[in-house]
Amino acid sequence: MPVVPTHPVTTPDPDVLRWVVPDGLLPFTGEVAQAPAMLQSLIDDGTLGSVRVDGGAVLTLLGPGRSWRQEGARVRSALVDALGAPDSWEGGETAHAAGPDDALEAAARQIADGSLGSFVNSHGGSLIVRSVRDGVVEISMEGACDDCPAAEITMHARFEHLLRRRCPWLVEVRRVDE
């Protein structure tokens, strides 16, 4: 079984770690109802209070009285094991199926709202994800980007490059005016 790359990122809540995983790996977003055996055992014994799949990440909430110092290695091992069997995960009642376009949209919005979006905003512009369908991402570049000759470079060399690294199934990024 191949090892799926993952790494933890802290969140504002010290009991929650966000484990970054490949986009589109898991077939749903939302609360996990059933996970592969090692991870499920950590939920069942109270080590983890909850596990949630959220666009390119798995959020793990420690159970009461637990600490990452004590449980971190066990959680990582169980999660890496579980990620090797993505079809064995089941979503809870409020979870919804996520296909390639859902993962592509989540990644595109994270990039547009992240450091690249901040860079564009610092120059008086904005980069907005308008739609995602059949692997095609449509964005608008507004404000100072409207007449900027570097807007096309930002769209392709930066935004599209970052998105294609995360989602190799990306077909195209198109600029649309709205």
Side-chain angles (χ1 to χ4, degrees):
M1 167 173 26
V3 175
V4 175
T6 184
H7 69 273
V9 177
T10 59
T11 68
D13 182 342
D15 289 336
V16 176
L17 276 181
R18 181 177 190 273
W19 300 85
V20 177
V21 300
D23 292 286
L25 175 68
L26 297 170
F28 65 91
T29 60
E31 284 296 318
V32 173
Q34 187 69 37
M38 282 178 67
L39 186 58
Q40 187 64 45
S41 70
L42 296 181
I43 296 168
D44 293 343
D45 74 10
T47 300
L48 293 173
S50 71
V51 178
R52 178 175 183 78
V53 177
D54 181 37
V58 175
L59 299 168
T60 52
L61 169 66
L62 281 176
R66 307 292 179 140
S67 74
W68 286 113
R69 182 178 303 260
Q70 292 173 328
E71 308 295 351
R74 286 181 54 216
V75 172
R76 178 189 291 274
S77 294
L79 183 59
V80 168
D81 176 72
L83 292 170
D87 294 335
S88 299
W89 294 58
E90 291 178 27
E93 290 180 21
T94 59
H96 65 276
D101 279 348
D102 297 307
L104 186 57
E105 182 172 1
R109 291 190 187 283
Q110 287 172 358
I111 292 167
D113 294 341
S115 61
L116 180 58
S118 295
F119 169 78
V120 171
N121 291 338
S122 75
H123 289 90
S126 62
L127 188 154
I128 302 162
V129 176
R130 295 292 179 190
S131 70
V132 177
R133 181 175 173 172
D134 299 328
V136 176
V137 177
E138 292 184 336
I139 65 168
S140 62
M141 297 186 75
E142 300 174 352
C145 294
D146 201 31
D147 297 324
C148 179
E152 292 297 311
I153 294 168
T154 300
M155 182 178 83
H156 292 294
R158 294 184 114 182
F159 179 79
E160 184 174 350
H161 173 75
L162 290 169
L163 188 55
R164 192 168 302 282
R165 281 182 46 202
R166 287 183 57 179
C167 304
W169 63 91
L170 170 68
V171 173
E172 176 184 14
V173 173
R174 288 185 197 148
R175 186 171 175 183
V176 296
D177 295 321
E178 289 209 348

